[in-house]
Amino acid sequence: MENFENDVLDLVKSNMREDLASTASLSVDSHLITDLGYDSIRLMGLFFSIEQDFNLSIINSCANYEFFSVETVGDLVGLLKSKINEN
């Protein structure tokens, strides 16, 4: 499962602003907005990347509110695990 967590961390980093991606400390405890500089546009990009990489429907799903409620990378990892297990 550590591989899965690393995959999510890589996706989070690849969708960050370039200036923050090189300097921010990224961990499962990192807060997407306050620590990593995510805004609504970057979150949408992250969710699109997740849809592609994990074959999940987020953006056009009735359950997309769950993804917009995540605060930390760890929250995102946990939600993704539960969504993948549902499928």
Side-chain angles (χ1 to χ4, degrees):
M1 211 39 84
E2 188 175 311
N3 248 358
F4 179 77
E5 189 175 290
N6 288 333
D7 290 344
V8 175
L9 286 168
D10 288 343
L11 275 177
V12 168
K13 186 171 185 169
S14 70
N15 282 279
M16 288 173 59
R17 289 186 359 219
E18 285 184 34
D19 60 325
L20 290 176
S22 62
T23 61
S25 176
L26 183 59
S27 74
V28 292
D29 296 322
S30 299
H31 192 278
L32 290 166
I33 295 171
T34 57
D35 296 332
L36 304 179
Y38 269 80
D39 58 17
S40 59
I41 304 276
R42 291 216 180 268
L43 283 172
M44 290 301 290
L46 175 62
F47 297 156
F48 184 72
S49 295
I50 290 169
E51 284 186 330
Q52 289 182 323
D53 285 18
F54 294 105
N55 197 28
L56 292 173
S57 180
I58 299 170
I59 296 170
N60 293 323
S61 168
C62 292
N64 68 9
Y65 68 90
E66 292 176 296
F67 283 89
F68 283 101
S69 68
V70 300
E71 294 184 8
T72 66
V73 176
D75 294 341
L76 182 58
V77 168
L79 181 57
L80 283 172
K81 284 179 185 176
S82 71
K83 291 297 177 187
I84 289 169
N85 288 334
E86 284 178 10
N87 291 337

